[in-house]
Amino acid sequence: MNLYLHEGEPSQEVLDVVAEEIELSKDIPQGIYHVYLHDNQIDKTRANGRKESSISLTYPNEMIKND
C-alpha cells in the first residue's frame, strides 16, 4: 500500500497509527501487507512519491493482518 500524507513529513508514529488502523479494519482482508508512507510530493513524470523521506513496513517487517 502506498499512502500519502496531506501535509508534513512521514514519521514512525504516523506509520504505527496507520498500521494499527489497517489491522483493526474489518474492510481489509487478512494477508501480508507492505505499507509505504510518503509525503505529498509526487514526481509527476513517474507518478511516484518514493524518496529518502518515505518510510515503510516491508520485508522482513511487513504487516501481517490476521482476523
Side-chain angles (χ1 to χ4, degrees), residues 12-53:
Q12 189 62 46
E13 294 82 20
V14 173
L15 185 61
D16 292 342
V17 170
V18 169
E20 184 177 349
E21 290 294 321
I22 292 170
E23 288 174 356
L24 296 175
S25 174
K26 300 293 184 198
D27 297 325
I28 299 174
Q30 66 181 359
I32 298 173
Y33 291 91
H34 299 261
V35 181
Y36 298 89
L37 184 61
H38 311 283
D39 61 17
N40 65 352
Q41 301 298 314
I42 299 170
D43 181 349
K44 293 178 182 170
T45 61
R46 298 182 308 151
N48 190 336
R50 248 182 235 177
K51 59 183 124 185
E52 288 184 25
S53 65

